[in-house]
Amino acid sequence: MPTPVSTLAFDTQQELLWTGNEYGRVTSFYGPKLQKYTSVRAHLQAEGPVKQFLFHDRGIISVAARSVHLTSRRGLTQWHIIHENMKDLRCMSFTSKGTSEILVAGCQDVMFKIDVEKGRIVEEIPTDENYTMMRSSHYICAATNTGSVKMLDPRTFTIVKTWKAHTAGINDMDARNNFLVTCGWSPRHQGSYMLDPLANVYDLKTMMPLPPIPFHAGAAFVRMHPRMSTTSIVASQTGQLQVVDLMNPNTANLRQANISSYMMGIELASSGEALAMTDAECTIHLWGSPTKLHFAEYSNATEFVDTTAPPPAMDWSSDTPLSTIGMPYYREQLFSVWPSHQVFEVGNPPPKIEPAILASLTPMESGAYAPNLKKTRRNQIENTRAVDTVGSSLMAPKFLSEKARESESTQSKGRRISDAVEALADASISGSTKADVPVMYRNVEIKYSRYGVDDFDFEYYNKTSYSGLETHISNSYSNPLLQLLKFTPLIRNLALHHAATTCLSEACLLCEMGFLFDMLDKADGHNCQATNFLKTFSNLPQAAALGLLEENSPGSSLTVMIQSMNRFLLDRISFDFKQLSPNSAQLDKTIAIEAESSIRCVGCTNETTREGSTYVNDLIYPALHIKHPMRNSVPSFSQILKASVGRETQTRGWCHICRRYQQLATRKTILSIPFVLMINAAINSADAKQLWATPGWLPEEIGVIVDGGQFFCFEGEDLQLHLQRNMHDITVYELVGMVADINSGENQKSHLVSLINGTNYIAGRLGLAANTNSTVALSSPEPADETAWHLFNDFLVRKVQKQEALKFAPSWKVPSILAYQVQSASHSVDESWKENLDTTLLYYDWSINQQEPKHHRVLRPETEAPIAGSHVAIDAEFVSLQEKEIDIKSDGTRETIRPERLGLARVSVLRGSGEDEGLPFINDFITISEPVVDLLTQYSGIHAEDLDPRFSTHNLVPLKVAYKKLWLLLNLGVIFIGHGLPKDFRTINIHVPKSQVLDTVDLFHIKSRGRKLSLRFLAWYLLKEDIQLEEHDSIEDARTAL
């Protein structure tokens, strides 16, 4: 053997000897010649050495310190069990259920009951004993590390009897029939231990000790003979063996094993005809009669690999004709010769019906029918090889670097592409069809040059003061919903106020929403990205379980995903809000309908009630009369909303009175309504789409009355009539906006956009062609005279007419989510959070590895509190989390599909003035849970151990803590000094206005020349200093920029 054997055992069903070593490898040997049969790594090295084997019809069970493994005798893994409470397993035994269940124990406080057939833990059993070995007889005989033997009931695992077998510990034991024999240690002088010269014997039938077996060489190992019930074999570490009758221990037959080192274990085959021994020199000794040697008492045949006969030898040379070699000749009929009577002509399997057709099916008595959504005729096959990929999205503009190189004469010869796109968009708005979807609704894509995303002309798509969101991030399908929530004032206020508190939870989506909303406000029309929000969202296990992640739900309907995310997101932010303010009902008053559900059993009429909150209401559309179409009337939006909120349902459920499943009728009693109504359109039929296509069907205002626990909804003239009468307490809601699903046409992916209510104001943005700005009406601080609408198509933002925004087309534009807010809070934009910032995080060291600060000192709140206009120097280091994806075309040109993704690894912020000018007060290293592709050590100065909490000597913090420190400084109005800060801020996912940035790249840059000077060159030329000689250091770079 290449390594010492930690345990060995004879197979009880086949002629195999199994061994395990300290590295977790299990090896088997066949027959008397010990021919190697299988070898498999059953346990990882970190899981500890193999301790014991048990044999089952399905294979062999092995146990290591931290795992239990079942492998077939051919070496195929059947199951492998690991558990957080498996720390030091030592032994196992079959229970009263035979070989279908095992008990696993060790030097730990938990035992495990495992179902062998299913390969799973059935029960965890607490125990006060540390067991080192187990043998099964009438009872489970379990040895402890204190030298005692416990008799366990094989059914209940309770201790029936306890014997103190040895004073120091038990080295080996065996139990068979009615006898138990043990070998162990006793303490000697000076703290040493010695093997006992006696092997103790116990009668398991009478539960009494018997005379011990004297063994002067020191009893180390013992095995009971399987066929002679009173015969035992005792062995010493030096190889001396003694065969003794338990009824007459004074007569013995002595043998001596020929070993040059000390013995490590013995094992006796179930047939009684073979004895195996292992020694410290990695050798296995097999004893037995050459004519009678076999392992199992009733052995099954062992399966071997089929051997193929070698091809006959043939003498040939390069001159030998190939025709003399011949072809293979088969004496048996080949499987490929299928009988003619079993050959049938069958067609191709039917193609799957597209989900769009299934959604528009109209049921009939004998089936269902749906309109042909394709442009091809029925049963006509589309030529998929001629897919037109051009036009699937808006034509990208020229890169900024290309425009800078263009001469003025070239620019004056023709119109810009953007002018043509805008003209096309305006022309298609007036009468768009499926074939002519307005250009502004189509997919938008970011193109990347060798200068990265900074070279892309986002201003081409957005001439407003409202920022769009980029699309190259995973799960960016949620962009329209985030925009809708941001422009809902009461939700925006809650998110920003929560972000300004002391919340430091890494999984808090409400904080991330506040950070994102603040960034969109400060960006003033510049593009943003929801990187940190989507990273936190993607790390939530509930999001993956609900199928809300794009990577886990390829091909899923975006409408279904965004509606599910709407439900999950509102429920999650309610949870996050209550974590910090458990007694506050402010958020539930804002978004939750409080109702009492009455559940009545139809059988026994027993009724139970319970209160609950509903954050999102799915619309339920009335069923149409197929046989009597004249009875169908067109319901209004308010009627459908009333029926959906106060709906009564009947479902089958368990009734504890009837003690069986019954029909349960559920009825809601509305207790209160929120300030914001979030509604999922839930359009699943062609009839529902036709309702939305009715002009003016979606009202901009609705009125809600809650009377007697019932929900009443009104619109149009009915609403005005109730307002005039003023007889009921009516709450008027205004439409904030919606998320819509856009199907741009064939060969194009559907995508989501948001349309939000807004108004014009004269502000004038510097550098824009149309000298206008827009502000969202319902989310603006001041009321406006005229309402307008804005389209948010990811990073494309533009103003649209109200008629266009509220017009839906079943073929390409369908609503997914609606948001209504009470009219009295239309302009309730609360900016008081800026005066209530909790800045305590800036004045103490927050660390997950409790490291003392070495290179920085936190600010003193009395004398160094940051104020508006104070200067700080900043620099950040990043590591690569994902390589960029490149598409190499047939002509050899390369196009970047997705850019490299970087993650913040270190950020340093220095004092910009005062006595301690240049002294850092933030020097945080960030823990990263994602796999790091490249540490970029040459440019970042980051090493692997710097980000590992186990080894790092730096101040390690989560990303949220580092981000919130910068966010607090930003909102306190400090001015950041650094070199190349826009790229750093973009990667950190924070937007700092230009008025709060002093960038040394721009201070020493001539705009007419494209090149920008490096910090290293500026330090050498201006300061006569050499920096970045080996690796970058953020403190050095920030101090140099300062």
Side-chain angles (χ1 to χ4, degrees), residues 78-352:
Q78 305 300 306
W79 48 255
H80 184 85
I81 298 176
I82 57 176
H83 192 275
E84 60 182 3
N85 291 331
M86 291 182 178
K87 300 173 182 177
D88 191 8
L89 300 179
R90 300 286 187 88
C91 51
M92 56 185 173
S93 173
F94 290 117
T95 67
S96 60
K97 295 185 179 179
T99 59
S100 63
E101 186 179 78
I102 61 174
L103 176 69
V104 187
C107 293
Q108 56 182 47
D109 55 2
V110 178
M111 298 190 296
F112 298 92
K113 187 163 65 173
I114 296 178
D115 189 326
V116 178
E117 300 295 337
K118 297 180 180 179
R120 63 183 180 88
I121 297 174
V122 178
E123 184 181 358
E124 297 183 38
I125 305 170
T127 178
D128 297 329
E129 303 292 339
N130 292 332
Y131 296 112
T132 57
M133 61 185 71
M134 285 183 173
R135 298 291 184 266
S136 180
S137 183
H138 298 298
Y139 300 98
I140 297 177
C141 304
T144 69
N145 59 353
T146 59
S148 299
V149 178
K150 308 286 184 178
M151 301 293 121
L152 304 182
D153 187 303
R155 184 175 61 87
T156 62
F157 311 120
T158 56
I159 298 176
V160 178
K161 181 75 174 179
T162 300
W163 280 309
K164 184 65 176 179
H166 301 272
T167 56
I170 297 177
N171 192 65
D172 194 14
M173 71 175 186
D174 196 17
R176 195 176 294 272
N177 298 321
N178 294 324
F179 299 102
L180 169 68
V181 185
T182 66
C183 303
W185 302 84
S186 295
R188 291 296 183 264
H189 298 294
Q190 298 179 352
S192 61
Y193 293 93
M194 182 177 180
L195 287 168
D196 284 335
L198 298 172
N200 293 327
V201 184
Y202 301 92
D203 190 332
L204 299 178
K205 190 173 183 180
T206 62
M207 290 291 184
M208 296 292 291
L210 296 178
I213 302 172
F215 194 75
H216 299 290
F221 307 101
V222 62
R223 285 295 177 268
M224 296 291 295
H225 198 282
R227 299 172 66 181
M228 294 182 283
S229 59
T230 61
T231 300
S232 174
I233 301 176
V234 185
S236 70
Q237 288 185 330
T238 59
Q240 182 178 336
L241 287 89
Q242 178 175 305
V243 182
V244 62
D245 189 346
L246 300 180
M247 297 293 100
N248 188 11
N250 294 322
T251 59
N253 188 357
L254 296 178
R255 293 286 188 272
Q256 178 65 44
N258 185 20
I259 58 175
S260 57
S261 60
Y262 61 91
M263 188 181 296
M264 296 184 64
I266 67 171
E267 189 60 43
L268 191 61
S270 60
S271 64
E273 302 292 342
L275 177 68
M277 297 170 284
T278 63
D279 59 23
E281 294 185 346
C282 310
T283 305
I284 299 176
H285 303 265
L286 182 64
W287 282 21
S289 172
T291 57
K292 299 180 180 180
L293 187 61
H294 64 281
F295 300 162
E297 188 173 3
Y298 301 104
S299 179
N300 298 327
T302 302
E303 186 177 2
F304 288 91
V305 178
D306 296 335
T307 57
T308 56
M314 179 177 295
D315 295 331
W316 67 286
S317 65
S318 57
D319 300 329
T320 304
L322 293 179
S323 59
T324 61
I325 298 177
M327 296 293 289
Y329 176 73
Y330 303 97
R331 297 181 179 276
E332 299 177 356
Q333 191 176 37
L334 300 179
F335 286 126
S336 59
V337 182
W338 201 260
S340 59
H341 66 279
Q342 292 186 5
V343 177
F344 305 96
E345 290 291 338
V346 295
N348 292 331
K352 293 183 178 180

Side-chain angles (χ1 to χ4, degrees), residues 693-705:
T694 305
W697 190 76
L698 177 64
E700 288 190 86
E701 288 185 356
I702 58 173
V704 175
I705 298 175

Side-chain angles (χ1 to χ4, degrees), residues 542-669:
Q542 301 92 330
L546 292 173
L548 302 181
L549 306 184
E550 288 178 323
E551 59 267 25
N552 297 339
S553 306
S556 298
S557 168
L558 287 181
T559 293
V560 174
M561 290 181 66
I562 198 68
Q563 291 175 352
S564 299
M565 184 178 181
N566 187 28
R567 281 188 292 267
F568 169 76
L569 190 56
L570 295 180
D571 182 72
R572 183 69 192 189
I573 64 175
S574 175
F575 171 81
D576 293 337
F577 183 84
K578 292 174 182 177
Q579 292 298 302
L580 199 65
S581 306
N583 299 322
S584 175
Q586 183 181 3
L587 192 135
D588 283 346
K589 289 181 180 179
T590 303
I591 60 174
I593 294 180
E594 301 292 340
E596 184 180 76
S597 298
S598 301
I599 306 173
R600 182 176 57 86
C601 175
V602 177
C604 64
T605 68
N606 176 63
E607 186 169 315
T608 59
T609 61
R610 62 186 181 193
E611 293 186 3
S613 301
T614 303
Y615 299 106
V616 179
N617 292 278
D618 290 4
L619 295 184
I620 300 176
Y621 302 91
L624 300 180
H625 296 280
I626 300 175
K627 295 183 178 180
H628 307 284
M630 297 299 294
R631 297 181 183 177
N632 295 325
S633 60
V634 179
S636 65
F637 174 85
S638 55
Q639 290 173 337
I640 290 180
L641 181 59
K642 174 184 180 300
S644 304
V645 173
R647 60 181 172 178
E648 297 184 8
T649 59
Q650 279 201 355
T651 56
R652 286 189 63 82
W654 180 260
C655 177
H656 66 278
I657 302 297
C658 301
R659 305 294 297 172
R660 62 174 179 171
Y661 286 95
Q662 293 276 36
Q663 284 291 117
L664 301 180
T666 304
R667 177 175 53 85
K668 277 187 178 182
T669 301

